[in-house]
Amino acid sequence: MLTFRMIKSLTQCLRGYRRSGLRVGFVPTMGFLHAGHRALIDESVARCDITVVSIFVNPTQFGPNEDLDRYPRALEQDHDLCRKAGVSMIFMPDAGEIYPPGFQTHVEPGPVAEPLCGAVRPGHFQGVATVVAKLFNIVQPDVAFFGQKDFQQCAVIRQMVRDLNLPVEIVTVPTVREPDGLAMSSRNSYLNPVDRERAGCLSRGLLAAQAAYGEGEQDSQRLLEIARSHITEVDQLQYLELRDARTLAAVQGLVEQPAALCVAATVGPTRLIDNVLLTPPPRALSDRELELVSHVMDRQASPAAEGPRPS
Ligand code: AMP
């Protein structure tokens, strides 16, 4: 496993691999790696010849009163996890390498970045989109892996890739949870034992609503009430919302298209986010549709039944 701090040496090395036709997978992270990051890395190692992991606590995605200065770091453990997982290269630039003096160009995401975390953290997704675009240009991966845990981030990145014709495939990996359901996050390390216990109510609420949906409850208000009835131990509920899974438009009335139930809350001084997907089960066919399907299948089974074909 190779470690790079400078863009030039990383790109030189990657150029050689790309010339030999190797498929490059990329996992961008802010470090303090856990089993959630590991799931992304495993997916990349399984699908690609080369896996590049970046570890960069990106200052431009933090607001002025957020946790940039105390964001947890554990470089040695991160190296161990990457080595054991079969990572080929770690890229860990410092802020000056990514934002040299005179830096002034940003990626401005559109409406997909406005609700949810975008409303609570102004400028956050501009910082995310800008650094991810830069990292894509530096690494030039074939595939990049992101966690469903940061659902809106995935939507913003997918939209950016479409809008800017970036030649990279985006893969979203399901959220990895602690045994009690809490979504794994580097920020969970901020939680003291009492807050850690209280934080469990977030996933309990989301999973209860997801279970109700699986049992046939489609009413969005009712689903939100079910989730809210469990989310009683947080200090500030910043949002609990049902959003269209693709566009992030607000869902009202019945949930008939894939939707995401998204939550953000503070527990003590720690801000946590989580979400679950509500995916409609395949619709049962109507009698008329069944009739048509069986007709087509009969014709496929015995083409002669159609009579002689015109020559
Ligand atoms: P971060 O280091 O928090 O910026 O996260 C880096 C990547 O790991 C992002 O794509 C996250 O969505 C993903 N990630 C973080 N936590 C989890 C988790 N519990 N399960 C799956 N992916 C995660």
Side-chain angles (χ1 to χ4, degrees):
M1 188 175 75
L2 300 169
T3 301
F4 297 90
R5 291 179 178 275
M6 308 307 285
I7 295 170
K8 199 166 171 201
S9 37
L10 173 76
T11 51
Q12 254 167 15
C13 182
L14 276 169
R15 207 171 298 132
Y17 286 121
R18 232 177 279 111
R19 235 184 265 127
S20 342
L22 296 180
R23 188 170 164 78
V24 177
F26 178 44
V27 181
T29 82
M30 298 206 297
F32 207 70
L33 303 180
H34 51 67
H37 299 108
R38 175 71 196 249
L40 273 59
I41 293 171
D42 287 347
E43 197 70 31
S44 176
V45 169
R47 291 182 186 221
C48 302
D49 304 304
I50 299 288
T51 290
V52 182
V53 171
S54 64
I55 297 177
F56 179 59
V57 182
N58 174 38
T60 65
Q61 69 190 67
F62 288 78
N65 299 316
E66 295 186 350
D67 56 343
L68 173 61
D69 293 337
R70 62 188 186 108
Y71 197 83
R73 288 168 170 83
L75 285 179
E76 241 173 76
Q77 284 102 305
D78 289 353
H79 269 78
D80 273 2
L81 185 147
C82 287
R83 192 175 306 107
K84 287 183 185 136
V87 168
S88 325
M89 299 178 194
I90 296 183
F91 178 46
M92 34 182 301
D94 64 23
E97 180 71 356
I98 298 294
Y99 302 110
F103 177 87
Q104 54 179 272
T105 305
H106 298 270
V107 177
E108 188 63 75
V112 71
E114 283 167 13
L116 306 174
C117 288
V120 181
R121 305 181 70 187
H124 170 67
F125 286 117
Q126 188 205 66
V128 170
T130 302
V131 80
V132 171
K134 282 174 68 76
L135 291 168
F136 282 177
N137 284 331
I138 293 165
V139 177
Q140 296 182 30
D142 296 285
V143 198
F145 298 83
F146 292 85
Q148 188 205 314
K149 150 94 175 13
D150 296 276
F151 185 77
Q152 190 175 17
Q153 173 170 281
C154 292
V156 168
I157 300 298
R158 282 180 185 279
Q159 186 71 43
M160 174 180 80
V161 163
R162 269 199 301 278
D163 289 346
L164 301 184
N165 305 95
L166 304 183
V168 55
E169 179 192 344
I170 302 298
V171 171
T172 303
V173 177
T175 303
V176 177
R177 299 178 177 283
E178 299 284 357
D180 71 338
L182 179 67
M184 288 199 175
S185 164
S186 307
R187 290 189 169 99
N188 291 352
S189 64
Y190 298 151
L191 297 166
N192 66 32
V194 174
D195 289 348
R196 169 65 189 79
E197 189 69 27
R198 295 160 68 208
C201 74
L202 290 172
S203 56
R204 276 200 300 281
L206 297 183
L207 295 170
Q210 192 183 45
Y213 181 74
E215 284 157 18
E217 179 59 77
Q218 278 190 298
D219 183 79
S220 53
Q221 283 312 312
R222 185 68 202 115
L223 290 164
L224 288 167
E225 276 163 25
I226 292 169
R228 200 172 295 121
S229 70
H230 292 266
I231 303 178
T232 52
E233 294 172 65
V234 300
D235 291 301
Q236 190 204 354
L237 183 58
Q238 293 185 337
Y239 61 73
L240 174 65
E241 293 185 31
L242 260 168
R243 294 270 163 178
D244 182 279
R246 203 176 52 82
T247 62
L248 295 201
V251 174
Q252 269 137 12
L254 296 183
V255 179
E256 290 175 316
Q257 303 292 331
L261 178 56
C262 305
V263 69
T266 58
V267 181
T270 309
R271 180 177 185 273
L272 299 172
I273 60 171
D274 197 356
N275 68 86
V276 291
L277 288 180
L278 308 183
T279 317
R283 189 172 57 85
L285 296 180
S286 68
D287 288 349
R288 174 73 189 130
E289 286 166 331
L290 274 174
E291 204 179 295
L292 279 170
V293 168
S294 54
H295 181 64
V296 169
M297 288 173 72
D298 285 350
R299 281 168 50 151
Q300 280 173 352
S302 55
E306 291 170 49
R309 286 175 191 276
S311 52

